Amino acid sequence: MRQAGRYLPEYRELKSRSSFLEMVKTPELAAEVTLQPLRRFPGIDAAILFSDILVIPEALGQPYHFRDTGGIAMQYRIETRQQVDQLIAPEEVPGRLNYVAETLTRLRKELGGQRALLGFGGSPWTLATYMVEGGSSEEFERIKLLFYTDRALFDALLEKLTAALIAYFKMQIAAGADAIQIFDSWGGIIAGCDYEAASLRWIREIISQLPADFPIILYAKGTGSHLIDQTFCGARVLSIDWSVDLRAARALVPKTIALQGNLDPLLMQTTPTIVAQESTRLLESIRGQSGHIFNLGHGITPQAKIECMQTLIDTVTRWR
Ligand code: CP3
């Protein structure tokens, strides 16, 4: 999950001098931002690469920027077969994202074997929403209409994304990632009966092309009713959002699959007392069950309070 960002003064300081994309594309800066949360909170036991899921559309030839009013704007929308055909070939993607490999190599050296290093990428579906909508979206009409009315074009786009992601993840593994998290952040907007065709089948295809024993974490937001199907996609860990009851999820999911999550990130905007109480309650709800990785149920918000984060980490690391 995102753990770097604007809630940290040291992040704001770096960002006052470089843009987000400059930081992402400069291995020295990207490694520095990755390490900021770990320096401030030594109890955190994994570093997550500082980058963005949208570097894939960019490497395929569709650049993006952040709107001043918040959210993301792609330079254009994908609407035609010709545009899909004109995207850059997936096998060229790793070369164009060489800065990510360099950042991971640096981080691997800095972290030694002490803390896990997580690489990541978006799911084909989630990336396609940005590419077809032309950026952040409220109703996701264009991507859904494409799925319903021109399945051949939809599949052609998702095939390209799938191939690019396989090549990209292989590069991340070679550069030293210990695990890879796939973010299906918009899986929850798909009609329930279409989750397989629109998203899960592409994720399963990616995982099947990676080394068999390599740990993959699948995070999907708003897909609580697909938890059982997700257990068959090849992921070693399912990362769940805060809307799912962790205890109920643990009872459903086979013990061979770990669960990651799922404290509501909004709690980081309350008080240390509330954070201690709610994180303890979450841990108690699955006392005695193995295979749990504590995490927030989504990324940290810019309004999160440092003292709440500190209390969260103290509570989780001291809990017995
Ligand atoms: O801790 C880390 O550094 C993790 C790195 C990370 C980022 N983005 C950095 C980032 C990860 C894992 C992501 C994933 C990501 N990026 C997702 C999937 C996870 C999720 O949150 O659902 C998505 C959908 C994106 C695309 C994206 N990037 C969005 C929607 C935004 C917010 C845009 C806005 O209006 O603020 C970003 C920006 C972003 N990516 C930030 C960070 C630290 C915040 C940048 C800033 O505030 O300066």
Side-chain angles (χ1 to χ4, degrees), residues 2-4 6 11 15 20 48-53 66 70-72 120 130 183 185 298:
R2 277 193 239 157
Q3 60 189 21
R6 275 176 285 169
Y11 176 89
K15 209 181 153 190
F20 178 81
I48 178 150
L49 166 73
F50 177 75
S51 184
D52 204 84
I53 61 168
F66 293 94
I72 281 146
F120 73 91
Y130 288 97
F183 287 96
S185 303
H298 198 200

Side-chain angles (χ1 to χ4, degrees), residues 294-307:
F294 196 98
N295 200 1
L296 296 177
H298 198 200
I300 195 155
T301 62
Q303 301 82 16
K305 295 179 189 163
I306 304 271
E307 61 272 28

Side-chain angles (χ1 to χ4, degrees), residues 216-294:
I216 304 291
I217 306 166
L218 172 62
Y219 172 80
K221 186 156 155 274
T223 61
S225 69
H226 305 303
L227 208 51
I228 296 296
D229 289 337
Q230 287 166 347
T231 66
F232 295 100
C233 77
R236 186 94 60 85
V237 182
L238 295 178
S239 187
I240 57 179
D241 74 54
W242 68 92
S243 68
V244 175
D245 182 71
L246 180 60
R247 183 191 172 103
R250 190 62 283 178
L252 281 178
V253 172
K255 301 284 175 265
T256 47
I257 295 179
L259 287 177
Q260 177 172 289
N262 70 342
L263 196 73
D264 188 344
L266 204 82
L267 283 163
M268 297 303 110
Q269 298 178 34
T270 62
T271 63
T273 310
I274 295 173
V275 168
Q277 188 185 302
E278 293 304 312
S279 49
T280 303
R281 193 160 72 102
L282 185 65
L283 288 164
E284 289 296 338
S285 77
I286 49 156
R287 178 175 282 285
Q289 310 262 8
S290 58
H292 174 231
I293 301 167
F294 196 98

Side-chain angles (χ1 to χ4, degrees), residues 23 27 46 57 67 112 128 135 140 150 170 197 267-268 271 306 309 314:
M23 296 198 297
R67 294 186 189 123
F140 297 93
D150 193 346
K170 284 183 176 166
L267 283 163
M268 297 303 110
T271 63
I306 304 271
M309 272 295 277
D314 292 345

Side-chain angles (χ1 to χ4, degrees), residues 49 94-95 97-109 117-120 165-180 209-211 213-216:
L49 166 73
L97 296 178
N98 195 40
Y99 58 86
V100 174
E102 273 181 47
T103 304
L104 284 168
T105 307
R106 266 174 190 267
L107 286 165
R108 183 74 282 164
K109 243 187 236 152
L117 175 57
L118 306 186
F120 73 91
L165 286 159
I166 291 166
Y168 183 48
F169 290 154
K170 284 183 176 166
M171 179 187 89
Q172 292 191 20
I173 295 170
D178 292 306
I180 282 178
Q209 299 296 319
L210 300 176
D213 54 349
F214 191 83
I216 304 291

